[in-house]
Amino acid sequence: MEVSREQQAIREFADARDWGRFHTPKNLAMALAGEAGELLALFQWLTPEQSSEIMDTESADHVRDELADVFIYALRLSDVLDVDLGAAVASKLKKNASRYTVHDSFGNAEKR
Amino acid sequence: MEVSREQQAIREFADARDWGRFHTPKNLAMALAGEAGELLALFQWLTPEQSSEIMDTESADHVRDELADVFIYALRLSDVLDVDLGAAVASKLKKNASRYTVHDSFGNAEKR
Amino acid sequence: MEVSREQQAIREFADARDWGRFHTPKNLAMALAGEAGELLALFQWLTPEQSSEIMDTESADHVRDELADVFIYALRLSDVLDVDLGAAVASKLKKNASRYTVHDSFGNAEKR
Amino acid sequence: MEVSREQQAIREFADARDWGRFHTPKNLAMALAGEAGELLALFQWLTPEQSSEIMDTESADHVRDELADVFIYALRLSDVLDVDLGAAVASKLKKNASRYTVHDSFGNAEKR
């Protein structure tokens, strides 16, 4: 998947429906969090082990759809804010590498 | 940004720290929702107009970092679940196109 | 509404269905965040002004139900963790009062 | 804890800081979801068993504070919307009792 091509498809989808005025960054951040909440709900009563096998259950399509919704809103929000996602992800991974060194964080996911 | 390349970088980051056992789908869905919540908080007291100008304020780096965190966990979760993101997004956009026809949804973002 | 009485009703509801093993603190925190996401979604495309009039629209019952769901899970989580909610709220309001003094925060909701 | 008394204390806190214009229902729903996300993050890497013992760890105060934040915003949102929380919770519990009968839902928390 190439991010900029998807962003263009999503932009055209929104433009065709005149959704620009709904798609403020504030509203898109809300929609993104709402979809992340729907994804979360699919896992809420599962044991860790059950969660690892969710794609072998009848929830699989639902998971794919909710993951796609999260991506779609995150791509749209980045586009509206004119954030270069590739650069943002690269920069954050670099920060994470110095914040969570292999030495300090081996086997330990504690937030720093 | 090419999604599969980022996923590989994130996987190597996690593997180097032996984080596999923390990265169950359930836990990653939680981390994703948590990051979506942090992104949301940056917008919570802004007017719609202020939200459109957030990248011209001192919150800009924070927004880029939180968006990156959302992406990183969404990419990681898709990788762990072995979901083909490109296919999932394409399939969801197709569903949306028939659910939200231009005819019914022009100027109207109501959820269906 | 008296909090401890509601907590007891919710506990009896869960016990009658043998839901204790699902109601770990981790799972309840997920359910709470999921319900907060559903509440959020009711507001996502509204202007600030429309959001102030939501109880005069056909969304009113939906808002009441989602707010109730948030409360029910928050009450249940507090009960399972044996947290004294009255004390926790009083202590947090006290912290907020010194963190957000009237002097510094008058007309300014910026997070500290 | 008596809900209406807490709501009044929170209202006075907000009024003293002239926060009324920030506290639209839309913004409060965002703040609530953001705090639910912070609470969630405290549990994200814990096993179910570890989550049950979180109040015996150094995260205990943090849990109490985040739970209080969730309550404070939920109480404030209900107050601003003039929703009778006791009635809303009672009505939702009644709906849940017929949706999740003991017969169908014993030992089964599946969402209906």
Side-chain angles (χ1 to χ4, degrees):
Chain A
M1 192 175 95
E2 225 297 316
V3 153
S4 56
R5 199 182 319 152
E6 300 302 325
Q7 285 179 314
Q8 195 182 327
I10 296 165
R11 191 187 319 145
E12 286 166 8
F13 188 95
D15 287 348
R17 284 154 188 79
D18 194 28
W19 284 358
R21 79 191 129 116
F22 298 113
H23 286 190
T24 62
K26 180 179 177 107
N27 291 0
L28 290 167
M30 294 175 79
L32 173 57
E35 296 296 344
E38 291 191 36
L39 183 61
L40 189 68
L42 299 176
F43 292 96
Q44 70 194 11
W45 306 129
L46 304 186
T47 62
E49 296 72 28
Q50 288 169 331
S51 88
S52 293
E53 291 169 10
I54 198 168
M55 300 311 288
D56 302 325
T57 71
E58 54 186 18
S59 296
D61 280 344
H62 210 154
V63 170
R64 267 188 286 264
D65 273 3
E66 297 301 346
L67 253 177
D69 280 333
V70 166
F71 261 87
I72 290 169
Y73 280 122
L75 289 168
R76 175 69 174 153
L77 178 54
S78 309
D79 190 30
V80 166
L81 292 173
D82 204 17
V83 166
D84 178 336
L85 261 183
V89 166
S91 151
K92 193 54 172 46
L93 286 177
K94 214 168 150 185
K95 278 189 210 179
N96 287 351
S98 63
R99 193 176 297 167
Y100 302 92
T101 63
V102 172
H103 181 272
D104 287 340
S105 295
F106 190 84
N108 165 20
E110 213 172 307
K111 215 169 178 173
R112 284 165 181 275
Chain B
M1 190 174 99
E2 227 298 315
V3 154
S4 56
R5 199 181 319 152
E6 300 302 325
Q7 286 179 314
Q8 196 182 329
I10 296 164
R11 191 187 319 145
E12 285 167 7
F13 188 95
D15 286 349
R17 285 154 188 80
D18 194 28
W19 282 358
R21 79 191 128 116
F22 298 113
H23 285 192
T24 63
K26 180 179 177 106
N27 291 1
L28 290 166
M30 294 176 78
L32 173 57
E35 296 297 343
E38 290 191 36
L39 183 62
L40 190 68
L42 299 177
F43 292 96
Q44 69 193 12
W45 307 128
L46 303 187
T47 63
E49 296 71 29
Q50 288 170 330
S51 87
S52 293
E53 291 168 10
I54 199 169
M55 300 310 289
D56 303 325
T57 72
E58 54 186 17
S59 297
D61 281 344
H62 211 153
V63 169
R64 267 188 286 264
D65 273 3
E66 297 301 346
L67 254 176
D69 280 334
V70 165
F71 261 87
I72 290 168
Y73 280 121
L75 289 168
R76 176 70 174 152
L77 178 54
S78 308
D79 190 30
V80 166
L81 292 173
D82 203 17
V83 165
D84 178 335
L85 260 183
V89 166
S91 151
K92 194 53 173 46
L93 286 177
K94 213 168 151 185
K95 278 188 210 180
N96 287 350
S98 62
R99 194 176 297 168
Y100 302 92
T101 63
V102 173
H103 181 272
D104 287 339
S105 295
F106 190 83
N108 165 21
E110 212 171 308
K111 216 168 179 174
R112 285 165 180 275
Chain C
M1 190 174 100
E2 227 296 316
V3 154
S4 55
R5 199 182 319 151
E6 301 301 326
Q7 285 179 314
Q8 195 183 329
I10 296 164
R11 191 188 319 144
E12 285 166 8
F13 187 96
D15 286 349
R17 283 155 189 79
D18 194 28
W19 283 358
R21 80 190 128 117
F22 299 113
H23 285 191
T24 62
K26 180 179 178 107
N27 290 1
L28 290 167
M30 293 176 80
L32 173 57
E35 297 296 344
E38 290 191 36
L39 183 61
L40 189 67
L42 299 177
F43 291 97
Q44 70 193 13
W45 306 128
L46 304 186
T47 62
E49 296 73 28
Q50 288 170 331
S51 88
S52 294
E53 292 169 10
I54 199 167
M55 300 311 289
D56 303 325
T57 72
E58 54 187 16
S59 296
D61 281 344
H62 210 154
V63 170
R64 267 187 286 264
D65 274 4
E66 297 300 346
L67 254 176
D69 280 333
V70 166
F71 261 86
I72 290 169
Y73 280 121
L75 289 168
R76 175 70 175 151
L77 178 54
S78 308
D79 190 31
V80 166
L81 292 173
D82 204 15
V83 166
D84 178 336
L85 261 183
V89 167
S91 151
K92 194 52 173 46
L93 286 177
K94 214 168 151 186
K95 278 189 211 181
N96 287 350
S98 63
R99 194 177 297 168
Y100 302 92
T101 63
V102 173
H103 181 271
D104 287 339
S105 295
F106 189 84
N108 165 21
E110 212 171 308
K111 214 167 179 173
R112 284 164 180 276
Chain D
M1 190 175 100
E2 226 298 315
V3 153
S4 55
R5 198 182 319 152
E6 300 301 325
Q7 285 179 314
Q8 196 182 327
I10 296 165
R11 192 187 319 144
E12 285 166 8
F13 188 94
D15 286 349
R17 284 154 189 79
D18 195 28
W19 283 358
R21 80 190 128 116
F22 298 114
H23 285 190
T24 62
K26 181 179 177 108
N27 291 0
L28 291 166
M30 293 175 78
L32 173 57
E35 296 297 343
E38 290 191 36
L39 183 61
L40 189 68
L42 299 177
F43 292 97
Q44 69 193 12
W45 307 128
L46 304 187
T47 63
E49 296 71 29
Q50 288 170 331
S51 88
S52 294
E53 292 169 10
I54 199 167
M55 300 311 288
D56 303 325
T57 71
E58 55 186 16
S59 295
D61 281 344
H62 210 154
V63 170
R64 267 187 287 263
D65 273 3
E66 297 301 346
L67 254 176
D69 280 333
V70 166
F71 261 87
I72 289 169
Y73 279 122
L75 289 168
R76 176 69 173 152
L77 178 54
S78 308
D79 190 29
V80 166
L81 291 173
D82 204 17
V83 165
D84 178 335
L85 261 183
V89 166
S91 151
K92 194 53 172 47
L93 286 178
K94 214 167 150 186
K95 277 188 211 181
N96 287 349
S98 63
R99 195 176 295 168
Y100 302 92
T101 63
V102 172
H103 181 271
D104 287 339
S105 296
F106 189 84
N108 165 22
E110 212 172 307
K111 214 168 178 173
R112 284 165 179 272

